[in-house]
Amino acid sequence: MAKELPAQIVDVRAEAWPLARPFVIARGAKTEAYVVVAEVAADGVTGRGEAVPYARYGETVDDAVAAIKALRGPLTRTSLANALPPGAARNAVDCALWDLAAKRAGQRAWDLADVGAIAPCLTCYTISLGSPEQMAADAAAVPHLKLLKLKLGGDGDDARMRAVRNARPDARIVADANEAWGVEQLAPFLAAAASAGMELIEQPLPADTDDALASIDHPVPICADESAHTSANLFSLIGRYDAVNIKLDKTGGLTEALAMAQAAKAAGFRIMVGSMVATSLAAAPALLLSGLADWVDLDGPLLLARDRVPPLTIVDGVISPPAPELWG
């Protein structure tokens, strides 16, 4: 693990990045990605990190910026974890500290984290929530992308899954309900998911009612997202979920995400590594978890109208390791 050397916050700012097209999930739609960028420095070297505050968890961009600006004194990853709770603000600074450590050491971040070199990996590509016909058309429009993630929304999800499968019989497909199913919909929708060849169903029930998952069959593996935040709550998921979606914005940075991935594996969970819709700067640190992941869902850069320079290189859905000029 990278040696902890103290650094100072030198900049924090909010940015808006336009999307190529509206991004629609069960909770609503958006046309821009709102991110927070933090920069830290020491010995004339600067590191940066990006995060996405998420309203589902009571976060706002303004609050995240204020929390970072309120940090005092030289920071290490350890002192940061004591100063801020898990969430987007801590993630931006934690990833900036990792970037700084890699630059100061003249090494790549994955070497400092002792996770092995990052290999190119296939990412999911998100199909926004819409009518079955629209989602099928959207899936058919990207025949070069072989791993799709469907955003579902409740009523009609069985038809959505069937329609996309009929449009893309060649694709691997996972689906994310974003807490939109009711308990009474579980059995029929999971049966429809199995029939349509879904590899995974993500967060079908609201996080506060997911105890019902312990008492039903899982014909398709079920993944926790809104129910899974840090290593501390993994134990409560046993018996309910088969997999967990690890996002740096939930864990509060790469440091806890790496620990959570190891703990999840030890507990028998399969892993999806995900992120919010953001630029390549946010996705790059999450790639350090890709070697432990069964599914990688880091397609945020593909959903933007423009990206950082240099961006992550993504060809036919395959992400290459980040250039050092981007991060790490």
Side-chain angles (χ1 to χ4, degrees):
M1 192 65 74
K3 183 179 179 181
E4 298 239 43
L5 297 171
Q8 297 279 359
I9 301 287
V10 294
D11 188 39
V12 56
R13 59 188 180 273
E15 297 178 350
W17 292 78
L19 305 186
R21 58 187 298 180
F23 181 79
V24 185
I25 66 172
R27 295 190 192 94
K30 60 182 179 181
T31 58
E32 290 184 302
Y34 296 97
V35 308
V36 172
V37 177
E39 294 185 357
V40 300
D43 300 333
V45 181
T46 301
R48 61 179 184 166
E50 177 183 317
V52 181
Y54 195 29
R56 168 64 178 81
Y57 306 129
E59 298 179 319
T60 69
V61 169
D62 289 345
D63 287 346
V65 170
I68 296 171
K69 286 183 175 179
L71 292 170
R72 294 290 179 264
L75 291 170
T76 64
R77 295 190 305 278
T78 299
S79 67
L80 174 67
N82 293 326
L84 289 178
R90 196 174 89 187
N91 177 31
V93 181
D94 184 79
C95 289
L97 289 169
W98 276 97
D99 187 38
L100 176 67
K103 289 176 177 175
R104 292 176 78 179
Q107 295 180 264
R108 298 312 306 265
W110 50 83
D111 293 323
L112 297 182
D114 196 26
V115 296
I118 297 175
C121 58
L122 181 66
T123 181
C124 297
Y125 176 75
T126 302
I127 303 296
S128 284
L129 176 64
S131 69
E133 296 77 15
Q134 182 60 57
M135 293 179 72
D138 290 346
V142 288
H144 58 295
L145 300 176
K146 304 301 184 182
L147 177 57
L148 304 179
K149 182 174 183 176
L150 313 184
K151 288 294 186 178
L152 303 180
D155 291 345
D157 281 348
D158 48 354
R160 293 182 178 98
M161 290 185 283
R162 285 195 302 270
V164 174
R165 171 52 71 200
N166 289 338
R168 288 296 305 276
D170 62 306
R172 297 172 56 200
I173 308 176
V174 300
D176 182 5
N178 282 118
E179 304 181 282
W181 293 2
V183 172
E184 73 285 352
Q185 293 174 312
L186 271 176
F189 281 179
L190 287 174
S195 178
M198 300 294 109
E199 291 187 9
L200 189 74
I201 296 294
E202 196 176 339
Q203 198 68 42
L205 297 179
D208 58 357
T209 65
D210 64 359
D211 54 332
L213 297 175
S215 59
I216 65 164
D217 291 333
H218 293 194
V220 176
I222 300 176
C223 179
D225 183 2
E226 287 83 354
S227 292
H229 290 259
T230 67
S231 304
N233 72 311
L234 282 173
F235 181 79
S236 67
L237 306 179
I238 295 173
R240 301 181 185 185
Y241 293 96
D242 309 290
V244 293
N245 187 337
I246 300 176
K247 294 177 179 175
L248 275 60
D249 282 314
K250 294 187 298 179
T251 64
L254 178 60
T255 304
E256 168 58 19
L258 291 167
M260 184 177 180
Q262 294 291 349
K265 282 291 187 184
F269 290 106
R270 300 173 76 183
I271 292 174
M272 172 181 279
V273 54
S275 70
M276 307 303 185
V277 181
T279 79
S280 286
L281 179 59
L287 285 170
L288 271 68
L289 280 70
S290 61
L292 293 172
D294 300 274
W295 301 273
V296 172
D297 181 25
L298 299 175
D299 67 337
L302 293 178
L303 306 177
L304 300 178
R306 56 185 177 84
D307 196 4
R308 305 275 176 193
V309 178
L312 286 170
T313 299
I314 308 177
V315 179
D316 293 340
V318 175
I319 308 178
S320 295
E325 296 82 6
L326 172 64
W327 184 87

